[in-house]
Amino acid sequence: MNLKILPLLVLLTVGLSLFASGCTGQDDSQINENESESTVQDVEVSGSNESVIVAVSIVPQAEFVEKVGGDKVKTVVIIPPGADPHTYEPSPKEMGEVSKASMYVTVGVDMPFEEVWINRFKSINTGTLIVNSSNGIELRKLAAHDHHEEEGAEEHSEEHTEELEAGNEETELDPHIWTSPSNAKIMVENIYEGLAKIDPENKTYYTQNRDTYLKELDALDSRIREKLEGKEKRNFMVYHPSWGYFAADYNLTMIPVEIEGKEPSAQDLAKVISLAKEKQVKVIFVQPQFSTESAKSVAKEIGGEVVAVDPLAKDYVANMDNVSDIFARNLV
């Protein structure tokens, strides 16, 4: 090899190495920069699309929250479908899910388990907003009427009906506020206000959804009134007194077998059977979440049947349409 050329080859080799090294360093820098930007964007998108977790006590409330909150919310129901609100105990896993909620919507009326959950929220997550969905609703009491037939009363049937309508000797508050569409509207408004408070950026979205759903509830109310219009007989018999607010809204008389939501004594049961025969009751409405054995015994005595109507069903509007159809066909 020509010795004069050797220094030139060395210089050229070193230059090429430095150039390659410089290019490689620039590419790595650009890649790292792009990865960093991508990560930031992903975090921002994830944060903006994160659902507001809302815990509710019962299934119908979940629908109210979802109708107002749309795709901005995720609901967690403490009392799942088919469970008895009076006896249900959530699992540790369910308790963990509920504890993540930013808002807890209570029924707010004589449901002791709600106090337990409110205390748990306060101890686990002090930032949870508690919304009482009964706020603004005129509360009723569970009937504690006496089925006793007064001696010498010539018109006992009318007197008894008047007692039922007046709610004679009422004591405990009735928690079944959602069975009235007019009450449901108030519950929806309370839920809307809660969502707007914890997520003000989406208030306009919640307002539009609320207004749309309130129109659906108004239409439901109109349909129910039309079904019941002109009905001369306006009594219905239920085992568990879940439909007091519904009855009050539509000028019906609910005859409960249970008294203040408690199992009747043998003497009370005999009086209920006597009244049912007098009224020619052929259907006793029951709640799927509770045992129907006692109701079946009463139905057997009066030659009637047991029919399930669920106040805790998920699809509120469709369920209330169905229930009102059934009631309208079986008024006595």
Side-chain angles (χ1 to χ4, degrees), residues 58-80:
I58 56 171
V59 174
Q61 289 175 307
E63 175 164 331
F64 299 161
V65 171
E66 290 161 7
K67 287 292 186 178
V68 176
D71 58 8
K72 307 294 183 186
V73 302
K74 175 185 176 183
T75 55
V76 180
V77 184
I78 293 179
I79 307 298

mmCIF file with all atom_site columns, all heavy atoms in Angstrom, residues 58-80:
data_model
loop_
_atom_site.group_PDB
_atom_site.id
_atom_site.type_symbol
_atom_site.label_atom_id
_atom_site.label_alt_id
_atom_site.label_comp_id
_atom_site.label_asym_id
_atom_site.label_entity_id
_atom_site.label_seq_id
_atom_site.pdbx_PDB_ins_code
_atom_site.Cartn_x
_atom_site.Cartn_y
_atom_site.Cartn_z
_atom_site.occupancy
_atom_site.B_iso_or_equiv
_atom_site.pdbx_formal_charge
_atom_site.auth_seq_id
_atom_site.auth_comp_id
_atom_site.auth_asym_id
_atom_site.auth_atom_id
_atom_site.pdbx_PDB_model_num
ATOM 1   N N   . ILE A 1 58 ? -80.049 0.962  45.389 1.00 0.00 ? 58 ILE A N   1
ATOM 2   C CA  . ILE A 1 58 ? -80.921 0.001  44.717 1.00 0.00 ? 58 ILE A CA  1
ATOM 3   C C   . ILE A 1 58 ? -80.869 0.172  43.199 1.00 0.00 ? 58 ILE A C   1
ATOM 4   O O   . ILE A 1 58 ? -80.448 1.208  42.698 1.00 0.00 ? 58 ILE A O   1
ATOM 5   C CB  . ILE A 1 58 ? -82.384 0.143  45.206 1.00 0.00 ? 58 ILE A CB  1
ATOM 6   C CG1 . ILE A 1 58 ? -82.880 1.575  45.000 1.00 0.00 ? 58 ILE A CG1 1
ATOM 7   C CG2 . ILE A 1 58 ? -82.522 -0.287 46.664 1.00 0.00 ? 58 ILE A CG2 1
ATOM 8   C CD1 . ILE A 1 58 ? -84.354 1.764  45.255 1.00 0.00 ? 58 ILE A CD1 1
ATOM 9   N N   . VAL A 1 59 ? -81.344 -0.831 42.487 1.00 0.00 ? 59 VAL A N   1
ATOM 10  C CA  . VAL A 1 59 ? -81.244 -0.873 41.027 1.00 0.00 ? 59 VAL A CA  1
ATOM 11  C C   . VAL A 1 59 ? -81.932 0.299  40.320 1.00 0.00 ? 59 VAL A C   1
ATOM 12  O O   . VAL A 1 59 ? -81.343 0.885  39.406 1.00 0.00 ? 59 VAL A O   1
ATOM 13  C CB  . VAL A 1 59 ? -81.775 -2.222 40.503 1.00 0.00 ? 59 VAL A CB  1
ATOM 14  C CG1 . VAL A 1 59 ? -81.813 -2.234 38.985 1.00 0.00 ? 59 VAL A CG1 1
ATOM 15  C CG2 . VAL A 1 59 ? -80.886 -3.360 41.005 1.00 0.00 ? 59 VAL A CG2 1
ATOM 16  N N   . PRO A 1 60 ? -83.172 0.661  40.659 1.00 0.00 ? 60 PRO A N   1
ATOM 17  C CA  . PRO A 1 60 ? -83.799 1.787  39.941 1.00 0.00 ? 60 PRO A CA  1
ATOM 18  C C   . PRO A 1 60 ? -82.973 3.067  39.990 1.00 0.00 ? 60 PRO A C   1
ATOM 19  O O   . PRO A 1 60 ? -82.950 3.831  39.021 1.00 0.00 ? 60 PRO A O   1
ATOM 20  C CB  . PRO A 1 60 ? -85.150 1.964  40.656 1.00 0.00 ? 60 PRO A CB  1
ATOM 21  C CG  . PRO A 1 60 ? -85.463 0.605  41.172 1.00 0.00 ? 60 PRO A CG  1
ATOM 22  C CD  . PRO A 1 60 ? -84.138 0.037  41.603 1.00 0.00 ? 60 PRO A CD  1
ATOM 23  N N   . GLN A 1 61 ? -82.287 3.306  41.089 1.00 0.00 ? 61 GLN A N   1
ATOM 24  C CA  . GLN A 1 61 ? -81.441 4.500  41.177 1.00 0.00 ? 61 GLN A CA  1
ATOM 25  C C   . GLN A 1 61 ? -80.313 4.456  40.148 1.00 0.00 ? 61 GLN A C   1
ATOM 26  O O   . GLN A 1 61 ? -79.898 5.491  39.633 1.00 0.00 ? 61 GLN A O   1
ATOM 27  C CB  . GLN A 1 61 ? -80.835 4.615  42.570 1.00 0.00 ? 61 GLN A CB  1
ATOM 28  C CG  . GLN A 1 61 ? -81.816 4.982  43.671 1.00 0.00 ? 61 GLN A CG  1
ATOM 29  C CD  . GLN A 1 61 ? -81.127 4.958  45.018 1.00 0.00 ? 61 GLN A CD  1
ATOM 30  O OE1 . GLN A 1 61 ? -80.502 3.976  45.389 1.00 0.00 ? 61 GLN A OE1 1
ATOM 31  N NE2 . GLN A 1 61 ? -81.228 6.057  45.740 1.00 0.00 ? 61 GLN A NE2 1
ATOM 32  N N   . ALA A 1 62 ? -79.824 3.243  39.855 1.00 0.00 ? 62 ALA A N   1
ATOM 33  C CA  . ALA A 1 62 ? -78.755 3.104  38.866 1.00 0.00 ? 62 ALA A CA  1
ATOM 34  C C   . ALA A 1 62 ? -79.224 3.610  37.508 1.00 0.00 ? 62 ALA A C   1
ATOM 35  O O   . ALA A 1 62 ? -78.481 4.289  36.786 1.00 0.00 ? 62 ALA A O   1
ATOM 36  C CB  . ALA A 1 62 ? -78.301 1.650  38.769 1.00 0.00 ? 62 ALA A CB  1
ATOM 37  N N   . GLU A 1 63 ? -80.475 3.282  37.158 1.00 0.00 ? 63 GLU A N   1
ATOM 38  C CA  . GLU A 1 63 ? -81.000 3.772  35.885 1.00 0.00 ? 63 GLU A CA  1
ATOM 39  C C   . GLU A 1 63 ? -81.103 5.291  35.886 1.00 0.00 ? 63 GLU A C   1
ATOM 40  O O   . GLU A 1 63 ? -80.761 5.949  34.899 1.00 0.00 ? 63 GLU A O   1
ATOM 41  C CB  . GLU A 1 63 ? -82.368 3.170  35.585 1.00 0.00 ? 63 GLU A CB  1
ATOM 42  C CG  . GLU A 1 63 ? -82.976 3.754  34.322 1.00 0.00 ? 63 GLU A CG  1
ATOM 43  C CD  . GLU A 1 63 ? -84.139 2.936  33.778 1.00 0.00 ? 63 GLU A CD  1
ATOM 44  O OE1 . GLU A 1 63 ? -84.171 1.729  33.986 1.00 0.00 ? 63 GLU A OE1 1
ATOM 45  O OE2 . GLU A 1 63 ? -85.003 3.540  33.138 1.00 0.00 ? 63 GLU A OE2 1
ATOM 46  N N   . PHE A 1 64 ? -81.558 5.865  36.996 1.00 0.00 ? 64 PHE A N   1
ATOM 47  C CA  . PHE A 1 64 ? -81.669 7.322  37.073 1.00 0.00 ? 64 PHE A CA  1
ATOM 48  C C   . PHE A 1 64 ? -80.299 7.975  36.869 1.00 0.00 ? 64 PHE A C   1
ATOM 49  O O   . PHE A 1 64 ? -80.173 8.968  36.141 1.00 0.00 ? 64 PHE A O   1
ATOM 50  C CB  . PHE A 1 64 ? -82.250 7.746  38.426 1.00 0.00 ? 64 PHE A CB  1
ATOM 51  C CG  . PHE A 1 64 ? -83.639 7.220  38.705 1.00 0.00 ? 64 PHE A CG  1
ATOM 52  C CD1 . PHE A 1 64 ? -84.137 7.176  39.999 1.00 0.00 ? 64 PHE A CD1 1
ATOM 53  C CD2 . PHE A 1 64 ? -84.448 6.751  37.680 1.00 0.00 ? 64 PHE A CD2 1
ATOM 54  C CE1 . PHE A 1 64 ? -85.414 6.705  40.260 1.00 0.00 ? 64 PHE A CE1 1
ATOM 55  C CE2 . PHE A 1 64 ? -85.724 6.263  37.932 1.00 0.00 ? 64 PHE A CE2 1
ATOM 56  C CZ  . PHE A 1 64 ? -86.207 6.240  39.232 1.00 0.00 ? 64 PHE A CZ  1
ATOM 57  N N   . VAL A 1 65 ? -79.280 7.418  37.525 1.00 0.00 ? 65 VAL A N   1
ATOM 58  C CA  . VAL A 1 65 ? -77.920 7.965  37.397 1.00 0.00 ? 65 VAL A CA  1
ATOM 59  C C   . VAL A 1 65 ? -77.429 7.828  35.957 1.00 0.00 ? 65 VAL A C   1
ATOM 60  O O   . VAL A 1 65 ? -76.858 8.761  35.377 1.00 0.00 ? 65 VAL A O   1
ATOM 61  C CB  . VAL A 1 65 ? -76.954 7.251  38.356 1.00 0.00 ? 65 VAL A CB  1
ATOM 62  C CG1 . VAL A 1 65 ? -75.506 7.657  38.067 1.00 0.00 ? 65 VAL A CG1 1
ATOM 63  C CG2 . VAL A 1 65 ? -77.297 7.571  39.809 1.00 0.00 ? 65 VAL A CG2 1
ATOM 64  N N   . GLU A 1 66 ? -77.652 6.653  35.355 1.00 0.00 ? 66 GLU A N   1
ATOM 65  C CA  . GLU A 1 66 ? -77.168 6.399  33.998 1.00 0.00 ? 66 GLU A CA  1
ATOM 66  C C   . GLU A 1 66 ? -77.902 7.246  32.960 1.00 0.00 ? 66 GLU A C   1
ATOM 67  O O   . GLU A 1 66 ? -77.311 7.652  31.951 1.00 0.00 ? 66 GLU A O   1
ATOM 68  C CB  . GLU A 1 66 ? -77.297 4.913  33.683 1.00 0.00 ? 66 GLU A CB  1
ATOM 69  C CG  . GLU A 1 66 ? -76.304 4.062  34.476 1.00 0.00 ? 66 GLU A CG  1
ATOM 70  C CD  . GLU A 1 66 ? -76.693 2.600  34.536 1.00 0.00 ? 66 GLU A CD  1
ATOM 71  O OE1 . GLU A 1 66 ? -77.672 2.210  33.841 1.00 0.00 ? 66 GLU A OE1 1
ATOM 72  O OE2 . GLU A 1 66 ? -76.043 1.841  35.275 1.00 0.00 ? 66 GLU A OE2 1
ATOM 73  N N   . LYS A 1 67 ? -79.169 7.517  33.198 1.00 0.00 ? 67 LYS A N   1
ATOM 74  C CA  . LYS A 1 67 ? -79.918 8.358  32.261 1.00 0.00 ? 67 LYS A CA  1
ATOM 75  C C   . LYS A 1 67 ? -79.406 9.790  32.277 1.00 0.00 ? 67 LYS A C   1
ATOM 76  O O   . LYS A 1 67 ? -79.363 10.455 31.242 1.00 0.00 ? 67 LYS A O   1
ATOM 77  C CB  . LYS A 1 67 ? -81.414 8.330  32.609 1.00 0.00 ? 67 LYS A CB  1
ATOM 78  C CG  . LYS A 1 67 ? -82.119 7.031  32.269 1.00 0.00 ? 67 LYS A CG  1
ATOM 79  C CD  . LYS A 1 67 ? -82.202 6.813  30.767 1.00 0.00 ? 67 LYS A CD  1
ATOM 80  C CE  . LYS A 1 67 ? -83.016 5.592  30.408 1.00 0.00 ? 67 LYS A CE  1
ATOM 81  N NZ  . LYS A 1 67 ? -83.129 5.401  28.950 1.00 0.00 ? 67 LYS A NZ  1
ATOM 82  N N   . VAL A 1 68 ? -79.029 10.264 33.448 1.00 0.00 ? 68 VAL A N   1
ATOM 83  C CA  . VAL A 1 68 ? -78.491 11.624 33.554 1.00 0.00 ? 68 VAL A CA  1
ATOM 84  C C   . VAL A 1 68 ? -77.014 11.656 33.172 1.00 0.00 ? 68 VAL A C   1
ATOM 85  O O   . VAL A 1 68 ? -76.557 12.532 32.431 1.00 0.00 ? 68 VAL A O   1
ATOM 86  C CB  . VAL A 1 68 ? -78.668 12.177 34.990 1.00 0.00 ? 68 VAL A CB  1
ATOM 87  C CG1 . VAL A 1 68 ? -78.020 13.559 35.103 1.00 0.00 ? 68 VAL A CG1 1
ATOM 88  C CG2 . VAL A 1 68 ? -80.143 12.259 35.358 1.00 0.00 ? 68 VAL A CG2 1
ATOM 89  N N   . GLY A 1 69 ? -76.250 10.680 33.662 1.00 0.00 ? 69 GLY A N   1
ATOM 90  C CA  . GLY A 1 69 ? -74.805 10.689 33.475 1.00 0.00 ? 69 GLY A CA  1
ATOM 91  C C   . GLY A 1 69 ? -74.331 10.174 32.137 1.00 0.00 ? 69 GLY A C   1
ATOM 92  O O   . GLY A 1 69 ? -73.213 10.485 31.708 1.00 0.00 ? 69 GLY A O   1
ATOM 93  N N   . GLY A 1 70 ? -75.162 9.367  31.450 1.00 0.00 ? 70 GLY A N   1
ATOM 94  C CA  . GLY A 1 70 ? -74.778 8.840  30.145 1.00 0.00 ? 70 GLY A CA  1
ATOM 95  C C   . GLY A 1 70 ? -73.456 8.102  30.193 1.00 0.00 ? 70 GLY A C   1
ATOM 96  O O   . GLY A 1 70 ? -73.184 7.335  31.133 1.00 0.00 ? 70 GLY A O   1
ATOM 97  N N   . ASP A 1 71 ? -72.602 8.342  29.205 1.00 0.00 ? 71 ASP A N   1
ATOM 98  C CA  . ASP A 1 71 ? -71.327 7.636  29.137 1.00 0.00 ? 71 ASP A CA  1
ATOM 99  C C   . ASP A 1 71 ? -70.253 8.260  30.022 1.00 0.00 ? 71 ASP A C   1
ATOM 100 O O   . ASP A 1 71 ? -69.090 7.842  29.993 1.00 0.00 ? 71 ASP A O   1
ATOM 101 C CB  . ASP A 1 71 ? -70.826 7.571  27.687 1.00 0.00 ? 71 ASP A CB  1
ATOM 102 C CG  . ASP A 1 71 ? -70.652 8.949  27.056 1.00 0.00 ? 71 ASP A CG  1
ATOM 103 O OD1 . ASP A 1 71 ? -70.771 9.964  27.784 1.00 0.00 ? 71 ASP A OD1 1
ATOM 104 O OD2 . ASP A 1 71 ? -70.400 9.007  25.839 1.00 0.00 ? 71 ASP A OD2 1
ATOM 105 N N   . LYS A 1 72 ? -70.645 9.253  30.834 1.00 0.00 ? 72 LYS A N   1
ATOM 106 C CA  . LYS A 1 72 ? -69.683 9.883  31.742 1.00 0.00 ? 72 LYS A CA  1
ATOM 107 C C   . LYS A 1 72 ? -69.644 9.187  33.108 1.00 0.00 ? 72 LYS A C   1
ATOM 108 O O   . LYS A 1 72 ? -68.804 9.519  33.947 1.00 0.00 ? 72 LYS A O   1
ATOM 109 C CB  . LYS A 1 72 ? -70.031 11.361 31.976 1.00 0.00 ? 72 LYS A CB  1
ATOM 110 C CG  . LYS A 1 72 ? -70.202 12.194 30.718 1.00 0.00 ? 72 LYS A CG  1
ATOM 111 C CD  . LYS A 1 72 ? -68.918 12.339 29.951 1.00 0.00 ? 72 LYS A CD  1
ATOM 112 C CE  . LYS A 1 72 ? -69.122 13.257 28.739 1.00 0.00 ? 72 LYS A CE  1
ATOM 113 N NZ  . LYS A 1 72 ? -67.911 13.306 27.880 1.00 0.00 ? 72 LYS A NZ  1
ATOM 114 N N   . VAL A 1 73 ? -70.566 8.255  33.357 1.00 0.00 ? 73 VAL A N   1
ATOM 115 C CA  . VAL A 1 73 ? -70.651 7.639  34.680 1.00 0.00 ? 73 VAL A CA  1
ATOM 116 C C   . VAL A 1 73 ? -70.584 6.119  34.614 1.00 0.00 ? 73 VAL A C   1
ATOM 117 O O   . VAL A 1 73 ? -70.881 5.504  33.587 1.00 0.00 ? 73 VAL A O   1
ATOM 118 C CB  . VAL A 1 73 ? -71.955 8.048  35.412 1.00 0.00 ? 73 VAL A CB  1
ATOM 119 C CG1 . VAL A 1 73 ? -72.058 9.547  35.557 1.00 0.00 ? 73 VAL A CG1 1
ATOM 120 C CG2 . VAL A 1 73 ? -73.181 7.473  34.710 1.00 0.00 ? 73 VAL A CG2 1
ATOM 121 N N   . LYS A 1 74 ? -70.217 5.551  35.731 1.00 0.00 ? 74 LYS A N   1
ATOM 122 C CA  . LYS A 1 74 ? -70.275 4.108  35.938 1.00 0.00 ? 74 LYS A CA  1
ATOM 123 C C   . LYS A 1 74 ? -70.949 3.889  37.284 1.00 0.00 ? 74 LYS A C   1
ATOM 124 O O   . LYS A 1 74 ? -70.552 4.490  38.287 1.00 0.00 ? 74 LYS A O   1
ATOM 125 C CB  . LYS A 1 74 ? -68.874 3.500  35.958 1.00 0.00 ? 74 LYS A CB  1
ATOM 126 C CG  . LYS A 1 74 ? -68.872 2.008  36.281 1.00 0.00 ? 74 LYS A CG  1
ATOM 127 C CD  . LYS A 1 74 ? -67.453 1.473  36.406 1.00 0.00 ? 74 LYS A CD  1
ATOM 128 C CE  . LYS A 1 74 ? -67.466 0.008  36.824 1.00 0.00 ? 74 LYS A CE  1
ATOM 129 N NZ  . LYS A 1 74 ? -66.090 -0.530 37.021 1.00 0.00 ? 74 LYS A NZ  1
ATOM 130 N N   . THR A 1 75 ? -71.991 3.064  37.322 1.00 0.00 ? 75 THR A N   1
ATOM 131 C CA  . THR A 1 75 ? -72.728 2.866  38.569 1.00 0.00 ? 75 THR A CA  1
ATOM 132 C C   . THR A 1 75 ? -72.327 1.555  39.242 1.00 0.00 ? 75 THR A C   1
ATOM 133 O O   . THR A 1 75 ? -72.016 0.562  38.594 1.00 0.00 ? 75 THR A O   1
ATOM 134 C CB  . THR A 1 75 ? -74.254 2.851  38.330 1.00 0.00 ? 75 THR A CB  1
ATOM 135 O OG1 . THR A 1 75 ? -74.568 1.856  37.350 1.00 0.00 ? 75 THR A OG1 1
ATOM 136 C CG2 . THR A 1 75 ? -74.738 4.202  37.860 1.00 0.00 ? 75 THR A CG2 1
ATOM 137 N N   . VAL A 1 76 ? -72.356 1.592  40.560 1.00 0.00 ? 76 VAL A N   1
ATOM 138 C CA  . VAL A 1 76 ? -72.141 0.403  41.383 1.00 0.00 ? 76 VAL A CA  1
ATOM 139 C C   . VAL A 1 76 ? -73.347 0.290  42.306 1.00 0.00 ? 76 VAL A C   1
ATOM 140 O O   . VAL A 1 76 ? -73.635 1.214  43.077 1.00 0.00 ? 76 VAL A O   1
ATOM 141 C CB  . VAL A 1 76 ? -70.855 0.518  42.219 1.00 0.00 ? 76 VAL A CB  1
ATOM 142 C CG1 . VAL A 1 76 ? -70.656 -0.740 43.061 1.00 0.00 ? 76 VAL A CG1 1
ATOM 143 C CG2 . VAL A 1 76 ? -69.653 0.755  41.325 1.00 0.00 ? 76 VAL A CG2 1
ATOM 144 N N   . VAL A 1 77 ? -74.078 -0.827 42.210 1.00 0.00 ? 77 VAL A N   1
ATOM 145 C CA  . VAL A 1 77 ? -75.301 -1.012 43.001 1.00 0.00 ? 77 VAL A CA  1
ATOM 146 C C   . VAL A 1 77 ? -74.972 -1.820 44.249 1.00 0.00 ? 77 VAL A C   1
ATOM 147 O O   . VAL A 1 77 ? -74.441 -2.939 44.161 1.00 0.00 ? 77 VAL A O   1
ATOM 148 C CB  . VAL A 1 77 ? -76.391 -1.729 42.184 1.00 0.00 ? 77 VAL A CB  1
ATOM 149 C CG1 . VAL A 1 77 ? -77.680 -1.831 42.999 1.00 0.00 ? 77 VAL A CG1 1
ATOM 150 C CG2 . VAL A 1 77 ? -76.658 -0.993 40.879 1.00 0.00 ? 77 VAL A CG2 1
ATOM 151 N N   . ILE A 1 78 ? -75.282 -1.263 45.417 1.00 0.00 ? 78 ILE A N   1
ATOM 152 C CA  . ILE A 1 78 ? -74.996 -1.959 46.673 1.00 0.00 ? 78 ILE A CA  1
ATOM 153 C C   . ILE A 1 78 ? -75.903 -3.175 46.845 1.00 0.00 ? 78 ILE A C   1
ATOM 154 O O   . ILE A 1 78 ? -75.451 -4.255 47.203 1.00 0.00 ? 78 ILE A O   1
ATOM 155 C CB  . ILE A 1 78 ? -75.137 -0.986 47.868 1.00 0.00 ? 78 ILE A CB  1
ATOM 156 C CG1 . ILE A 1 78 ? -74.026 0.083  47.803 1.00 0.00 ? 78 ILE A CG1 1
ATOM 157 C CG2 . ILE A 1 78 ? -75.078 -1.736 49.194 1.00 0.00 ? 78 ILE A CG2 1
ATOM 158 C CD1 . ILE A 1 78 ? -74.067 1.105  48.902 1.00 0.00 ? 78 ILE A CD1 1
ATOM 159 N N   . ILE A 1 79 ? -77.205 -3.010 46.584 1.00 0.00 ? 79 ILE A N   1
ATOM 160 C CA  . ILE A 1 79 ? -78.149 -4.128 46.671 1.00 0.00 ? 79 ILE A CA  1
ATOM 161 C C   . ILE A 1 79 ? -78.413 -4.630 45.262 1.00 0.00 ? 79 ILE A C   1
ATOM 162 O O   . ILE A 1 79 ? -79.148 -3.999 44.504 1.00 0.00 ? 79 ILE A O   1
ATOM 163 C CB  . ILE A 1 79 ? -79.480 -3.708 47.339 1.00 0.00 ? 79 ILE A CB  1
ATOM 164 C CG1 . ILE A 1 79 ? -79.217 -3.036 48.690 1.00 0.00 ? 79 ILE A CG1 1
ATOM 165 C CG2 . ILE A 1 79 ? -80.395 -4.913 47.501 1.00 0.00 ? 79 ILE A CG2 1
ATOM 166 C CD1 . ILE A 1 79 ? -78.545 -3.922 49.708 1.00 0.00 ? 79 ILE A CD1 1
ATOM 167 N N   . PRO A 1 80 ? -77.830 -5.752 44.850 1.00 0.00 ? 80 PRO A N   1
ATOM 168 C CA  . PRO A 1 80 ? -77.942 -6.219 43.464 1.00 0.00 ? 80 PRO A CA  1
ATOM 169 C C   . PRO A 1 80 ? -79.328 -6.757 43.148 1.00 0.00 ? 80 PRO A C   1
ATOM 170 O O   . PRO A 1 80 ? -80.136 -7.002 44.060 1.00 0.00 ? 80 PRO A O   1
ATOM 171 C CB  . PRO A 1 80 ? -76.895 -7.335 43.388 1.00 0.00 ? 80 PRO A CB  1
ATOM 172 C CG  . PRO A 1 80 ? -76.791 -7.837 44.791 1.00 0.00 ? 80 PRO A CG  1
ATOM 173 C CD  . PRO A 1 80 ? -77.015 -6.651 45.683 1.00 0.00 ? 80 PRO A CD  1
#
